[in-house]
Amino acid sequence: MKFRRRAFVHLAVGAAALPAVPRLSRAQAYPSRPARIVVGFAAGGATDIQARLMGQWLSDRLGQQFIVDNKPGASGNIGTEAVAKAAPDGYTLLQVVTPHAINAALYSNLNFDFLRDIAPVICLARLAYVVVVNPSVPAKTLPEFIAYAKANPGKINYGSAGQGTPQNISCELFKMMAGVDLIHVPYRGGAPAIVDLIGGHLQVIFAPVSEAIEHIRSGKLRPLAVTTAARLDVFPDLPTVADFVPGYEASGFGGIGVPRNTPVDIIDRLNKELNAGLADSKIKTRIVELGGTVLGGSPAEFGTILSEATEKWAKVIKFAGIKAE
C-alpha cells in the first residue's frame, strides 16, 4: 500500500513531536508525592533555616510537601553522599552551601564527586561573613586590626567552626593577602566559638552574619568589616575587607541541587518556582536578615559559581596546608 505524500508528512510531524509529549506530561505531573530537601548540617542554623524557607514555598506552590531531612556530619558529606546515590527523579534535593565547594580539596576519600554527581538547580543567595572582634581588642577599624596583628605576630587567636570550614578558609585567605600571622583555634561548630570570643578567649572570628548579628547589636562583639565584594543592606555603614585589602572576597552561597541525570524538565520546573520565591518580599527580607543577598538565576549560572568556588578554595587550602579533621 502506498501512502499519499500529505499523509506521510502528517505522520512524520507527529512522530517528531512524540518525544516532547512524555517530557511535558512528566513536568506537569511533578511532584505527585512528597519530596525531601537534604541538609547536611544540624537543624537551627542558617543553612537549615534557608532550606525550610524555600521548602515551604515549594510545598505551597506545588501542592506536595517538601520536607527538610537533616543529615549532619563530615562537613555536609554524609548528606551529599545520600543525595548523590538517590534516584534522579526530583524527589531528593540537596541544600548546597559553601562547604560543598571546599570539601573536594579537603577530603581525599569521598565516595562521590560533587561537581559530577550533583546537578545545580539554583543559587538562592550569596552569604556574607563579618569580621568580629572582642571589644577588648584595641582596634576599631580593620586597618587598626591589621596593624595590631602585625605588631603581635602569633599572639592573636582566631576561631572557626572547625578545620576547613568557611570561617577557617576565609581567615586564611585574609592572612595570606594581608600578611598577618593569626593562630587558628578550631571548634566543633560556630556557636561555641562565638561564646569563647565573647568571653575573651579568642580575639577575632570571620563569622556568618546569622551567628554574629545579635551579639553585634547588643554590643558584645565589635564588627570591623564584611567579607563580600559589596556592603550589606543589614550593615550599610560597615566597610568591606576589600576596601583595605584589595582583591579580597570571601562570600558563601546557598542553593539547591539534585542528583545528576535528574530530568531537565524537572530541574527547570524547580528553578522556575524557586526564582518566583526569591521575588517574594517576605522571603527576600528573611534572606537579608540571615546575612544573604538574593541571587537566583539559571542552573548553568549556579554551575559556574560552584566550579569557580571549588577552584578558588582549593588554592587557599593548598597554600595554608589545611587538613580535614
Side-chain angles (χ1 to χ4, degrees):
M1 180 182 295
K2 293 184 179 180
F3 287 102
R4 293 181 180 178
R5 176 178 174 80
R6 181 176 299 177
F8 178 80
V9 170
H10 284 172
L11 286 172
V13 171
L18 283 176
V21 174
R23 172 174 172 169
L24 181 61
S25 61
R26 181 175 58 207
Q28 290 175 336
Y30 172 83
S32 60
R33 55 186 169 86
R36 61 178 179 146
I37 303 175
V38 174
V39 176
F41 301 88
T47 299
D48 178 72
I49 292 170
Q50 188 179 95
R52 293 179 188 277
L53 187 69
M54 303 315 297
Q56 187 59 56
W57 174 266
L58 289 174
S59 298
D60 294 342
R61 294 274 290 195
L62 298 179
Q64 291 287 347
Q65 289 296 306
F66 281 73
I67 303 163
V68 171
D69 182 6
N70 296 93
K71 292 184 177 296
S75 193
N77 288 327
I78 292 175
T80 306
E81 183 173 352
V83 176
K85 294 181 177 180
D89 54 10
Y91 291 94
T92 304
L93 286 62
L94 178 68
Q95 179 72 11
V96 179
V97 286
T98 315
H100 291 110
I102 297 170
N103 292 343
L106 195 62
Y107 295 87
S108 59
N109 59 345
L110 296 176
N111 295 320
F112 59 88
D113 181 318
F114 178 76
L115 290 179
R116 180 196 66 200
D117 295 335
I118 301 297
V121 174
I122 188 173
C123 186
L124 300 167
R126 280 288 192 181
L127 305 174
Y129 308 104
V130 56
V131 184
V132 285
V133 297
N134 183 282
S136 66
V137 172
K140 291 182 170 58
T141 65
L142 192 65
E144 289 178 359
F145 178 78
I146 293 172
Y148 175 65
K150 288 183 175 179
N152 295 275
K155 297 180 181 179
I156 298 173
N157 295 328
Y158 83 88
S160 80
Q163 196 84 338
T165 57
Q167 297 99 311
N168 176 204
I169 62 169
S170 295
C171 193
E172 289 298 328
L173 179 62
F174 173 74
K175 286 171 58 179
M176 183 173 69
M177 296 182 69
V180 296
D181 181 14
L182 309 176
I183 304 302
H184 181 214
V185 182
Y187 289 76
R188 292 193 177 279
I194 289 287
V195 169
D196 269 9
L197 180 63
I198 293 171
H201 304 293
L202 301 170
Q203 284 71 54
V204 63
I205 294 179
F206 282 52
V209 170
S210 59
E211 293 181 4
I213 189 167
E214 293 305 322
H215 301 300
I216 292 170
R217 288 170 173 167
S218 68
K220 294 179 181 179
L221 295 176
R222 177 188 301 142
L224 300 182
V226 294
T227 62
T228 43
R231 296 191 182 199
L232 300 179
D233 291 341
V234 71
F235 293 130
D237 297 325
L238 202 59
T240 68
V241 173
D243 288 338
F244 312 106
V245 183
Y248 180 92
E249 192 275 337
S251 63
F253 52 79
I256 295 292
V258 290
R260 68 170 175 165
N261 296 326
T262 297
V264 172
D265 49 300
I266 290 178
I267 291 176
D268 289 344
R269 180 84 187 276
L270 289 169
N271 177 270
K272 176 183 176 181
E273 297 298 343
L274 289 167
N275 268 309
L278 295 178
D280 181 81
S281 60
K282 292 181 180 178
I283 289 180
K284 290 172 69 174
T285 298
R286 189 70 180 109
I287 289 175
V288 169
E289 289 174 348
L290 292 169
T293 300
V294 173
L295 200 57
S298 69
E301 288 169 332
F302 190 23
T304 299
I305 290 171
L306 292 173
S307 60
E308 289 178 350
T310 300
E311 181 180 358
K312 174 179 179 176
W313 295 127
K315 292 177 181 178
V316 177
I317 288 168
K318 182 178 180 180
F319 179 87
I322 299 172
K323 304 292 184 182
E325 294 176 327

